[in-house]
Amino acid sequence: MKFEAGKTYTTRSACDHDCVIRVAVAKRTAKTITTDKGKVLRVGVYNGAEFVRPWGSYSMAPIVRAS
């Protein structure tokens, strides 16, 4: 599964289920995506699906997957 430009992907916070994290993909390259707010995120791959960490990498950081 890959991220596609023009689509919005969501996940929920590990600490607060009511907190929804959205990432709207404006454009993408082979290794990065650019959000509609202009933030460039590096894309990783796990079990055949792409993922990004929109708030950085820390123990309880949200992970948004393309699947």
Side-chain angles (χ1 to χ4, degrees), residues 36-54:
D36 60 342
K37 296 182 180 182
K39 189 171 185 177
V40 177
L41 302 171
R42 184 165 175 83
V43 174
V45 178
Y46 181 74
N47 284 344
E50 292 184 336
F51 71 90
V52 293
R53 294 182 178 106

Side-chain angles (χ1 to χ4, degrees), residues 17-60:
H17 190 71
D18 294 328
C19 178
V20 177
I21 296 101
R22 289 183 320 183
V23 174
V25 179
K27 63 181 179 176
R28 69 158 295 148
T29 66
K31 295 185 180 182
T32 65
I33 63 169
T34 303
T35 68
D36 60 342
K37 296 182 180 182
K39 189 171 185 177
V40 177
L41 302 171
R42 184 165 175 83
V43 174
V45 178
Y46 181 74
N47 284 344
E50 292 184 336
F51 71 90
V52 293
R53 294 182 178 106
W55 293 354
S57 181
Y58 58 94
S59 63
M60 298 296 279

